[in-house]
Coordinates of all heavy atoms in Angstrom, one line a residue:
K808 N -50.8 10.5 -36.7 CA -51.3 11.4 -37.8 C -52.0 10.6 -38.9 O -52.5 11.2 -39.9 CB -50.1 12.2 -38.4 CG -49.6 13.2 -37.4 CD -48.2 13.8 -37.9 CE -48.4 14.7 -39.1 NZ -49.0 16.0 -38.8
G809 N -52.0 9.2 -38.8 CA -52.6 8.4 -39.8 C -51.8 8.4 -41.1 O -52.3 8.0 -42.2
M810 N -50.5 8.7 -41.0 CA -49.6 8.7 -42.2 C -48.9 7.3 -42.2 O -47.7 7.2 -41.8 CB -48.6 9.9 -42.1 CG -49.3 11.2 -42.2 SD -48.2 12.6 -41.9 CE -47.2 12.6 -43.4
W811 N -49.6 6.3 -42.7 CA -49.2 4.9 -42.5 C -47.9 4.6 -43.3 O -47.1 3.8 -42.9 CB -50.3 4.0 -42.9 CG -51.6 4.3 -42.2 CD1 -52.8 4.7 -42.7 CD2 -51.8 4.3 -40.7 NE1 -53.7 4.9 -41.7 CE2 -53.1 4.6 -40.5 CE3 -51.0 4.0 -39.6 CZ2 -53.7 4.7 -39.2 CZ3 -51.5 4.0 -38.4 CH2 -52.8 4.4 -38.1
K812 N -47.8 5.2 -44.5 CA -46.6 4.9 -45.3 C -45.3 5.5 -44.6 O -44.2 4.8 -44.6 CB -46.7 5.4 -46.7 CG -47.6 4.6 -47.6 CD -47.6 5.0 -49.0 CE -48.5 4.1 -49.9 NZ -48.5 4.5 -51.3
M813 N -45.4 6.6 -44.0 CA -44.3 7.2 -43.3 C -44.0 6.4 -42.0 O -42.8 6.1 -41.7 CB -44.6 8.6 -42.9 CG -44.5 9.6 -44.0 SD -42.8 9.7 -44.7 CE -41.8 10.4 -43.4
A814 N -45.0 5.9 -41.3 CA -44.8 5.0 -40.2 C -44.1 3.7 -40.6 O -43.2 3.2 -40.0 CB -46.1 4.7 -39.5
Y815 N -44.6 3.2 -41.7 CA -44.0 2.0 -42.3 C -42.5 2.2 -42.6 O -41.7 1.3 -42.4 CB -44.7 1.6 -43.6 CG -44.0 0.6 -44.4 CD1 -44.1 -0.8 -44.2 CD2 -43.1 1.0 -45.4 CE1 -43.4 -1.7 -45.0 CE2 -42.3 0.1 -46.2 CZ -42.5 -1.2 -46.0 OH -41.8 -2.1 -46.8
F816 N -42.2 3.4 -43.2 CA -40.8 3.7 -43.5 C -39.9 3.6 -42.3 O -38.8 3.0 -42.4 CB -40.7 5.1 -44.1 CG -39.4 5.7 -44.3 CD1 -38.6 5.2 -45.3 CD2 -38.8 6.6 -43.4 CE1 -37.3 5.7 -45.5 CE2 -37.6 7.1 -43.5 CZ -36.8 6.7 -44.6
Y817 N -40.3 4.1 -41.2 CA -39.4 4.0 -40.0 C -39.4 2.6 -39.4 O -38.4 2.2 -38.9 CB -39.9 5.0 -38.9 CG -39.4 6.4 -39.3 CD1 -40.3 7.4 -39.8 CD2 -38.1 6.8 -39.2 CE1 -39.9 8.6 -40.2 CE2 -37.6 8.0 -39.6 CZ -38.5 9.0 -40.1 OH -38.1 10.2 -40.5
A818 N -40.5 1.9 -39.5 CA -40.5 0.5 -39.0 C -39.6 -0.3 -39.9 O -38.8 -1.2 -39.4 CB -41.9 -0.1 -39.1
D819 N -39.5 0.0 -41.2 CA -38.7 -0.7 -42.1 C -37.2 -0.4 -41.8 O -36.3 -1.3 -41.8 CB -39.0 -0.3 -43.6 CG -38.2 -1.1 -44.6 OD1 -38.3 -2.3 -44.6 OD2 -37.5 -0.4 -45.4
L820 N -36.9 0.8 -41.5 CA -35.5 1.2 -41.1 C -35.1 0.4 -39.9 O -34.0 -0.1 -39.8 CB -35.4 2.7 -40.8 CG -35.2 3.6 -42.0 CD1 -35.2 5.1 -41.6 CD2 -33.9 3.4 -42.7
L821 N -35.9 0.4 -38.9 CA -35.6 -0.4 -37.7 C -35.4 -1.9 -37.9 O -34.5 -2.5 -37.4 CB -36.8 -0.2 -36.6 CG -36.8 1.2 -36.0 CD1 -38.1 1.5 -35.3 CD2 -35.6 1.4 -35.0
S822 N -36.3 -2.4 -38.8 CA -36.2 -3.9 -39.1 C -34.8 -4.2 -39.7 O -34.3 -5.3 -39.6 CB -37.3 -4.3 -39.9 OG -37.2 -3.9 -41.3
K823 N -34.3 -3.2 -40.5 CA -33.0 -3.5 -41.2 C -31.8 -3.1 -40.3 O -30.7 -3.7 -40.5 CB -33.0 -2.7 -42.4 CG -34.0 -3.1 -43.5 CD -34.1 -2.2 -44.7 CE -35.1 -2.7 -45.7 NZ -35.3 -1.7 -46.8
E824 N -31.9 -2.2 -39.4 CA -30.7 -1.6 -38.7 C -30.7 -2.0 -37.2 O -29.6 -2.1 -36.7 CB -30.7 -0.1 -38.8 CG -30.6 0.4 -40.2 CD -30.5 2.0 -40.2 OE1 -30.3 2.6 -39.1 OE2 -30.6 2.5 -41.3
S825 N -31.8 -2.3 -36.6 CA -31.8 -2.5 -35.1 C -32.0 -4.0 -34.8 O -32.8 -4.7 -35.5 CB -32.9 -1.7 -34.5 OG -33.0 -2.0 -33.1
R826 N -31.3 -4.5 -33.8 CA -31.5 -5.9 -33.4 C -32.4 -6.0 -32.2 O -32.6 -7.1 -31.7 CB -30.1 -6.5 -33.0 CG -29.2 -6.7 -34.2 CD -27.8 -7.2 -33.7 NE -28.0 -8.4 -32.9 CZ -28.1 -9.7 -33.4 NH1 -28.0 -9.9 -34.7 NH2 -28.2 -10.7 -32.6
W827 N -33.0 -4.9 -31.7 CA -33.7 -5.0 -30.5 C -34.9 -6.0 -30.6 O -35.1 -6.8 -29.7 CB -34.2 -3.6 -30.0 CG -33.5 -3.2 -28.8 CD1 -32.5 -2.2 -28.8 CD2 -33.6 -3.7 -27.5 NE1 -32.0 -2.1 -27.5 CE2 -32.7 -3.0 -26.7 CE3 -34.4 -4.6 -26.9 CZ2 -32.6 -3.2 -25.3 CZ3 -34.3 -4.8 -25.5 CH2 -33.4 -4.1 -24.8
S828 N -35.7 -5.9 -31.6 CA -36.9 -6.8 -31.7 C -37.3 -6.8 -33.2 O -38.2 -6.2 -33.6 CB -38.0 -6.3 -30.8 OG -39.2 -7.1 -30.9
K829 N -36.7 -7.7 -33.9 CA -37.0 -7.9 -35.3 C -38.4 -8.3 -35.5 O -39.1 -7.8 -36.5 CB -36.1 -9.0 -36.0 CG -34.6 -8.6 -36.0 CD -34.3 -7.6 -37.1 CE -32.8 -7.4 -37.2 NZ -32.4 -6.4 -38.2
A830 N -39.0 -9.2 -34.6 CA -40.3 -9.6 -34.7 C -41.3 -8.4 -34.6 O -42.3 -8.3 -35.4 CB -40.6 -10.7 -33.7
M831 N -41.0 -7.5 -33.7 CA -41.9 -6.4 -33.5 C -41.8 -5.4 -34.7 O -42.9 -4.9 -35.1 CB -41.5 -5.6 -32.2 CG -42.2 -4.3 -31.9 SD -44.0 -4.5 -31.8 CE -44.2 -5.6 -30.4
Y832 N -40.6 -5.2 -35.2 CA -40.5 -4.2 -36.3 C -41.2 -4.8 -37.5 O -41.9 -4.0 -38.2 CB -39.0 -4.0 -36.6 CG -38.2 -3.4 -35.4 CD1 -36.9 -3.8 -35.2 CD2 -38.8 -2.5 -34.5 CE1 -36.2 -3.3 -34.2 CE2 -38.1 -2.0 -33.5 CZ -36.8 -2.4 -33.3 OH -36.0 -1.9 -32.3
V833 N -41.1 -6.1 -37.8 CA -41.7 -6.6 -39.0 C -43.2 -6.7 -38.8 O -44.0 -6.4 -39.7 CB -41.2 -8.0 -39.3 CG1 -42.0 -8.7 -40.4 CG2 -39.7 -7.9 -39.7
Y834 N -43.7 -6.9 -37.6 CA -45.1 -6.9 -37.3 C -45.7 -5.5 -37.5 O -46.7 -5.4 -38.1 CB -45.4 -7.3 -35.8 CG -46.8 -7.4 -35.5 CD1 -47.6 -8.5 -35.7 CD2 -47.5 -6.2 -34.9 CE1 -49.0 -8.5 -35.4 CE2 -48.8 -6.3 -34.6 CZ -49.6 -7.4 -34.8 OH -50.9 -7.4 -34.5
M835 N -44.9 -4.5 -37.1 CA -45.4 -3.1 -37.3 C -45.4 -2.7 -38.8 O -46.3 -2.0 -39.2 CB -44.5 -2.1 -36.5 CG -44.6 -2.3 -35.0 SD -46.3 -2.4 -34.3 CE -47.1 -0.9 -35.0
K836 N -44.4 -3.2 -39.5 CA -44.5 -3.0 -41.0 C -45.8 -3.5 -41.6 O -46.5 -2.9 -42.3 CB -43.3 -3.6 -41.7 CG -42.0 -2.9 -41.5 CD -40.8 -3.8 -42.0 CE -40.9 -4.0 -43.5 NZ -39.7 -4.7 -44.1
A837 N -46.1 -4.8 -41.2 CA -47.3 -5.4 -41.7 C -48.6 -4.7 -41.2 O -49.5 -4.5 -41.9 CB -47.3 -6.9 -41.3

Side-chain angles (χ1 to χ4, degrees):
K808 292 165 72 72
M810 298 174 68
W811 305 118
K812 285 188 178 180
M813 284 298 295
Y815 164 89
F816 170 75
Y817 283 105
D819 185 57
L820 277 176
L821 286 165
S822 72
K823 292 172 180 173
E824 295 183 13
S825 173
R826 288 179 54 88
W827 250 105
S828 181
K829 296 284 186 183
M831 174 58 62
Y832 301 144
V833 171
Y834 181 86
M835 293 314 303
K836 285 173 64 176

